[in-house]
Amino acid sequence: MISKYVLAAATFAALAFSAPVYAQHSMTPEQKAAAAAAKAEADAAVPVEASEPVNSADIDTSERTIWDGVFTATQAEAGSTLYTKNCAGCHGKTGRGSPGGPGITGANLNKKWEDISLFDFYTFAHTQMPPGKAGTIGNEQDYVNIVAYVLQLHGAEPGTSELVYNEDQLSNIYIVRKPK
Ligand code: HEC
């Protein structure tokens, strides 16, 4: 995960650096246009600072489900701001979906993600969403906070321990139907 960001940052730096070199006289109009486009893309890309994976003996990595109070109310609230701004337009204010995107809470979450870990759910969101600018709206922990909020919209209660960007923890929390 981190290496991808380091790589992205390096590419960004390389693009930013090479742009003035591109602008030399020996370039064809096509090359100049390509260089201008590359520079515009580099300028437009807002690098997101990667969050460190949390590794600590204190982290609960036991096997749990989303109904075990796996996130805090505070982080769901942080996630709510990001969700409303970046996801609700397509997935709906309560995550039940809209013409722009499928439901990611309620019946659709039950059906499509049953018995799948939060790590997979988080990874999908981080690597695919929002479409066309995946991963640009925050760092890993920000996406984990969005997941916390989505779970809250789905009806899960917050608890006292935080959901963290930690593969062992996220891989051991499963999306299952609400116990009756
Ligand atoms: C421009 C519209 C749009 C925005 C904004 C958007 N999504 Fe999506 N999302 C989609 C579409 C369309 C799909 C279904 C296509 C696919 O699965 O790749 C999808 C699929 C998903 C899925 C998988 C749902 C399933 O049916 O398996 C998740 C989870 C998800 N989005 C989360 C998010 C989150 C979190 C955000 C905000 C960070 C977000 N999306 C922003 C359009 C959007």
Side-chain angles (χ1 to χ4, degrees), residues 90-147:
C90 294
H91 292 292
K93 259 192 348 207
T94 64
R96 261 61 180 178
S98 84
I104 55 173
T105 61
N108 277 354
L109 186 76
N110 284 334
K111 202 166 78 193
K112 289 199 194 156
W113 292 85
E114 186 165 26
D115 289 331
I116 297 174
S117 79
L118 277 191
F119 186 72
D120 290 351
F121 188 75
Y122 149 82
T123 301
F124 184 91
H126 188 218
T127 61
Q128 310 289 323
M129 294 289 135
K133 46 178 184 158
T136 63
I137 61 151
N139 64 26
E140 290 85 346
Q141 186 61 46
D142 292 327
Y143 273 87
V144 169
N145 292 344
I146 293 175
V147 169

Side-chain angles (χ1 to χ4, degrees), residues 15-175:
L15 272 175
F17 254 104
S18 51
V21 178
Y22 285 167
Q24 282 170 3
H25 295 297
S26 57
M27 294 197 325
T28 66
E30 290 75 26
Q31 284 171 323
K32 274 187 192 157
K39 184 171 187 313
E41 198 179 312
D43 288 347
V46 181
V48 174
E49 209 177 307
S51 60
E52 292 294 324
V54 181
N55 294 307
S56 150
D58 299 338
I59 291 180
D60 187 348
T61 58
S62 62
E63 193 171 315
R64 293 179 291 165
T65 79
I66 59 171
W67 304 103
D68 291 330
V70 295
F71 59 89
T72 66
T74 309
Q75 72 178 132
E77 199 178 321
S80 117
T81 308
L82 287 168
Y83 178 87
T84 305
K85 189 163 163 234
N86 301 291
C87 321
C90 294
H91 292 292
K93 259 192 348 207
T94 64
R96 261 61 180 178
S98 84
I104 55 173
T105 61
N108 277 354
L109 186 76
N110 284 334
K111 202 166 78 193
K112 289 199 194 156
W113 292 85
E114 186 165 26
D115 289 331
I116 297 174
S117 79
L118 277 191
F119 186 72
D120 290 351
F121 188 75
Y122 149 82
T123 301
F124 184 91
H126 188 218
T127 61
Q128 310 289 323
M129 294 289 135
K133 46 178 184 158
T136 63
I137 61 151
N139 64 26
E140 290 85 346
Q141 186 61 46
D142 292 327
Y143 273 87
V144 169
N145 292 344
I146 293 175
V147 169
Y149 181 62
V150 170
L151 294 178
Q152 183 167 281
L153 287 175
H154 184 60
E157 298 282 345
T160 51
S161 77
E162 203 179 338
L163 190 65
V164 289
Y165 169 51
N166 172 279
E167 184 167 352
D168 289 341
Q169 186 192 67
L170 296 174
S171 300
N172 277 316
I173 303 172
Y174 288 89
I175 298 169

